[in-house]
Amino acid sequence: MGKGRAPCCDKEKVKRGPWSPSEDLRLISFIQKHGHQNWRALPKQAGLLRCGKSCRLRWINYLRPDVKRGNFTKEEEDAIIRLHETLGNKWSTIAAHFPGRTDNEIKNVWNTHLKKRLVSKNENTQKKDESKEFSTSSSSSCFSSSSGKNSREAFAMPVSDNAQDFKTDHLSNHGSSSPSEEPEGLSSSSISSNITNSSQVGVSNPEGQVGSLCNFIGGYYDVNNNASEEVNKPGILDTAFDISFESDLEFWNMLDSFGPFQSDEIQSHDGTQSSNFEVENNKWLMYLEHELGLESKDGGEANSVGPEIKPEGEMEMGHYHNTVQPSTK
DNA sequence: AAGCCTTGCAACCGCCGTTCA
DNA sequence: ATGAACGGCGGTTGCAAGGCT
């Protein structure tokens, strides 16, 4: 043949790096309206200069309405550790046990926190073991054989069979699976059969679309706190997603000028979020609503912040990029 | 206060499995 | 039966923010 694999996109003509608000909105509104049957064709149809893969990733890991963000609880972390022992680096499978969590997020948590925790734990136990006779038991830790960088190799062999069993058992029997198999600390509400992946997001369901969209608009930074109710108004939604992808260049360009903003600001929305963030958040929402002509007349929370809507440049949109995260470092 | 180091995370890359013509 | 196209997955990287000296 000699052709090789065709690149998924022309990297020369494709934008890379952080997503801008405008791009996010375009992607969201497009998916809400049309779904995502074809990721490769989507960027073009949505007027995005992005690779289809990039769009998919952005949607799945960030923009999806049901994506849950914020710090992992101790229970979640424990569950991840347990699942990882069984499944290895099957992040998507592990993620399936945590509705709203993405494989990328779990992978990151594992690599940044849990792995280290286990390594140090393992070192301690290893020191103890060294004083004893060599034990043939190699299953005491998932790290026993993973000295190299490639954890894929380390886990591939020993877990494959178990993984399949586990997958079958847990994915098909959620809600009715035997409690003994279920990771400790995970309630039925935290592990539900509502496994979410990109293809299961309600983009094909008109009602689901509206619900998802509400969640997005109202909860772009606050998926978990039901703020969506504030803007759960059909009229608003209709208007919001009648935005033309081609015609309102000025609007999209204006959004672009804000620079990247990240919905990771919804982190720590467990009620401990600083009011500073909420003010900025609400300003942003108000601004968007204003620009879209969506101001809610009955004065939701978003309007309680104050009437001041600063124009471009004064809203310090840079704030929306990783600046108000609750620091856990 | 400034510079360096570490950490965390979004995004990219390339491979693999599945689907479809 | 075959190969291209596509979606999905896991590994890795780059960068920004925070911490430390």
Side-chain angles (χ1 to χ4, degrees):
Chain A
M1 287 201 296
K3 281 188 283 186
R5 189 184 180 83
C8 72
C9 53
D10 186 349
K11 291 188 173 72
E12 304 269 317
K13 295 176 183 174
V14 155
K15 191 184 170 203
R16 298 165 72 185
W19 281 65
S20 69
S22 142
E23 289 176 308
D24 282 345
L25 274 178
R26 272 186 186 242
L27 180 59
I28 291 155
S29 53
F30 183 87
I31 290 176
Q32 291 292 345
K33 218 170 183 180
H34 306 286
H36 49 74
Q37 281 80 28
N38 187 340
W39 284 112
R40 195 161 293 206
L42 188 147
K44 201 173 183 181
Q45 293 166 354
L48 286 163
L49 291 173
R50 290 278 179 174
C51 171
K53 274 189 168 187
S54 182
C55 293
R56 179 183 158 269
L57 223 42
R58 182 66 178 168
W59 173 256
I60 289 174
N61 289 334
Y62 230 96
L63 304 176
R64 226 174 54 187
D66 57 343
V67 71
K68 179 184 171 188
R69 306 197 63 79
N71 297 333
F72 279 70
T73 63
K74 184 78 172 59
E75 287 74 24
E76 282 177 313
E77 290 184 349
D78 289 345
I80 291 170
I81 290 169
R82 288 166 197 272
L83 286 166
H84 188 273
E85 277 183 38
T86 316
L87 297 167
N89 293 7
K90 299 289 178 190
W91 304 120
S92 59
T93 310
I94 294 173
H97 291 74
F98 302 89
R101 298 292 193 185
T102 68
D103 53 353
N104 206 36
E105 201 177 9
I106 288 173
K107 182 169 60 183
N108 280 335
V109 167
W110 174 262
N111 286 329
T112 56
H113 297 114
L114 307 181
K115 199 170 170 179
K116 290 170 194 167
R117 189 195 295 174
L118 274 187
V119 165
S120 59
K121 207 185 250 181
N122 195 44
E123 278 172 356
N124 287 340
T125 54
Q126 230 169 9
K127 280 177 186 172
K128 286 181 184 175
D129 290 346
E130 278 171 8
S131 64
K132 296 177 184 176
E133 216 174 20
F134 176 72
S135 163
T136 54
S137 165
S138 62
S139 61
S140 59
S141 166
C142 58
F143 284 95
S144 54
S145 62
S146 62
S147 56
K149 265 185 172 181
N150 196 339
S151 53
R152 216 180 209 178
E153 287 175 22
F155 293 116
M157 195 267 290
V159 302
S160 56
D161 286 346
N162 272 348
Q164 195 54 52
D165 293 345
F166 190 94
K167 196 174 180 178
T168 317
D169 288 343
H170 286 256
L171 294 187
S172 61
N173 294 329
H174 274 316
S176 60
S177 63
S178 65
S180 60
E181 287 276 319
E182 198 164 85
E184 207 177 273
L186 283 176
S187 67
S188 57
S189 63
S190 63
I191 299 181
S192 75
S193 56
N194 277 339
I195 296 164
T196 56
N197 62 34
S198 63
S199 63
Q200 289 174 302
V201 173
V203 290
S204 58
N205 173 358
E207 288 177 26
Q209 281 182 29
V210 172
S212 300
L213 179 55
C214 290
N215 287 342
F216 171 73
I217 291 181
Y220 194 69
Y221 303 103
D222 200 346
V223 171
N224 300 319
N225 74 351
N226 297 327
S228 59
E229 285 179 19
E230 294 164 21
V231 289
N232 191 355
K233 302 182 185 71
I236 287 174
L237 299 172
D238 291 347
T239 314
F241 293 95
D242 275 344
I243 298 168
S244 156
F245 293 105
E246 293 79 20
S247 64
D248 210 340
L249 269 177
E250 203 177 322
F251 173 69
W252 296 115
N253 290 337
M254 175 204 64
L255 287 173
D256 270 336
S257 70
F258 289 147
F261 77 135
Q262 311 273 326
S263 58
D264 54 25
E265 275 66 42
I266 58 176
Q267 283 185 12
S268 89
H269 276 207
D270 52 3
T272 62
Q273 183 63 48
S274 72
S275 59
N276 195 27
F277 157 71
E278 286 175 2
V279 169
E280 291 297 317
N281 177 20
N282 285 329
K283 277 183 186 173
W284 164 243
L285 289 174
M286 285 176 65
Y287 185 76
L288 270 185
E289 287 178 358
H290 174 76
E291 288 300 322
L292 293 166
L294 307 176
E295 292 107 321
S296 75
K297 303 269 193 289
D298 51 356
E301 246 182 51
N303 288 343
S304 66
V305 177
E308 189 178 3
I309 299 172
K310 293 185 178 178
E312 169 187 347
E314 293 180 52
M315 292 227 354
E316 302 179 56
M317 296 310 294
H319 278 308
Y320 292 95
H321 185 68
N322 291 337
T323 54
V324 278
Q325 290 181 36
S327 176
T328 52
K329 289 181 184 177

